[in-house]
Amino acid sequence: MESELQRNACKLDAPPAVAVNGGVLPTDVLHEILLRLPAKVLCRFRLVCQSWRSLTSDPIFAKAHSSRHPLVVGLRSIAGRGRRWRSDHEVQLLDPFSGNIVRRIPTRKAWHDHELSTHLGLLCISERRAQQEDCILSPATGEILMVPTTGIVTKYKGKSMTLSTCLLGRVPSTGEYKALRVCRYHDRYLDGEPEQTYHVATLGRDAIWRVKPCPAVRVAIVSEARAVVNGVAYFLLDVDPADSDNVIAAFNLCTEEWRNPMLRGPLNGHHTSAKYAERISLHLADLNGCLASICRCTRGYPYDNCSVDLWFLVDLDKELWIKQYSLRSAPFGDPVRFFTPLAILDDERILLWVQGAQELRAYDPRTTTWTKLSTIENIFDIAMYQGSLLC
């Protein structure tokens, strides 16, 4: 049976509601005024009258509001600085421009070696080094769903599970949410190549993991090496980017099958060129609903000459990629080497998380300038919230 969390998340696809303004203000004027207010205030305004409730509950209005008021989500220790292993953690929704906390949701659990990922209006928190339940959370409602480990293979070919990662995705044709879990197994006493298994679970009251066939290659399971877009989970291969053919494994959550052949990446056939001849790293991300390949190139020591190219997949069938942005290091006194693109803002600036400085910054590709937005300390994981608090 479908869970309440899943039903709430699917409301974004409901047909738009019709708002009647009662003649006080023109509807388009009221629409523009309400779009400028934060979600917390709009939720209170729903009590004013039925027409305001209808307008602020419209999925189209909610989508427009979230684009004007983007939020980031992070996992933080309740106890404070440096005590992530001694206390429970809470999920926090933050305003990237001010750093203010918009909403807190306690998880009532301590996460030690975890990953945080988002998809539409839901979050997924999973432990990497333990066979524990995965946590699916809805920031809009505060509801938490724990996905049990029923069906997970603890041993494979005589090897014990050592690492795992979980991705959350939604099947566009059915609206149901599925989780894909990749488990890695090692023999602690013998050297050799690790083994991997793949499990899929459909979210609901009785979620059970189902074992799925393995692809022809071993995929990377770190958070920067995978992304879910439009019901397809994409993975980089578990090899050195400089030695690979720059291909990407793709798993369709609807058919629960791997794409054959694998997807050619944007640097396929060009990874040995002079531009990418030095230290390179590749990452995948969901940027504004599109699959992006983040190609980072560093030259010299101490890697203060850094460039990042953002390639977007515009046609899956034709394997067509377009490079839309190129970023360079910022003059902030520290080399901006490790930054993570989170989203493309409405003004075409790129929102980025700079891990070492614990700052959110914006990069304007038109002027090649950086702007410091806010400092967010003690956040262990951060991601872009893709949903709306109005739904």
Side-chain angles (χ1 to χ4, degrees), residues 119-246:
H119 190 73
L120 299 180
L122 301 182
L123 312 181
C124 178
I125 309 173
S126 60
E127 288 277 6
R128 285 175 47 82
R129 297 184 180 272
Q131 187 189 357
Q132 297 187 13
E133 295 180 328
D134 297 309
C135 174
I136 310 297
L137 184 147
S138 170
T141 64
E143 183 183 1
I144 297 177
L145 172 67
M146 302 302 296
V147 183
T149 58
T150 306
I152 294 292
V153 178
T154 58
K155 287 186 176 293
Y156 184 70
K157 295 184 179 181
K159 301 179 180 180
S160 301
M161 185 196 306
T162 56
L163 289 173
S164 68
T165 186
C166 184
L167 297 88
L168 181 66
R170 179 177 177 272
V171 180
S173 59
T174 63
E176 61 185 359
Y177 280 81
K178 293 184 179 181
L180 172 63
R181 190 167 184 177
V182 183
C183 303
R184 180 167 294 183
Y185 306 81
H186 283 88
D187 191 325
R188 66 181 64 183
Y189 302 107
L190 299 174
D191 294 332
E193 293 295 326
E195 302 287 346
Q196 287 186 172
T197 61
Y198 301 83
H199 304 74
V200 175
T202 303
L203 296 192
R205 292 186 177 180
D206 301 317
I208 298 177
W209 295 97
R210 307 182 297 276
V211 179
K212 291 299 172 180
C214 299
V217 295
R218 189 173 69 248
V219 304
I221 62 175
V222 295
S223 58
E224 297 85 1
R226 77 289 193 284
V228 179
V229 180
N230 295 327
V232 180
Y234 298 92
F235 296 85
L236 293 175
L237 304 190
D238 188 23
V239 293
D240 188 333
D243 299 330
S244 73
D245 291 329
N246 189 225

Side-chain angles (χ1 to χ4, degrees), residues 204-339:
R205 292 186 177 180
D206 301 317
I208 298 177
W209 295 97
R210 307 182 297 276
V211 179
K212 291 299 172 180
C214 299
V217 295
R218 189 173 69 248
V219 304
I221 62 175
V222 295
S223 58
E224 297 85 1
R226 77 289 193 284
V228 179
V229 180
N230 295 327
V232 180
Y234 298 92
F235 296 85
L236 293 175
L237 304 190
D238 188 23
V239 293
D240 188 333
D243 299 330
S244 73
D245 291 329
N246 189 225
V247 293
I248 300 170
F251 183 83
N252 191 311
L253 291 174
C254 179
T255 62
E256 299 185 1
E257 296 178 346
W258 292 93
R259 187 180 192 270
N260 189 17
M262 287 185 289
L263 173 65
R264 292 167 56 92
L267 304 185
N268 194 287
H270 302 281
H271 63 278
T272 58
S273 65
K275 181 177 180 181
Y276 298 98
E278 301 203 19
R279 302 171 185 87
I280 64 171
S281 60
L282 302 177
H283 305 284
L284 296 179
D286 175 6
L287 294 182
N288 295 56
C290 297
L291 177 66
S293 178
I294 305 171
C295 307
R296 180 179 289 109
C297 177
T298 56
R299 300 179 179 87
Y301 184 82
Y303 313 121
D304 53 356
N305 184 4
C306 175
S307 62
V308 173
D309 295 333
L310 301 184
W311 295 76
F312 288 80
L313 180 65
V314 296
D315 193 317
L316 175 60
D317 296 331
K318 296 181 180 180
E319 299 181 337
L320 178 60
W321 297 81
I322 294 181
K323 185 176 71 171
Q324 295 188 358
Y325 303 100
S326 291
L327 290 72
R328 298 297 179 264
S329 297
F332 272 85
D334 60 320
V336 183
R337 301 186 298 270
F338 305 106
F339 51 83

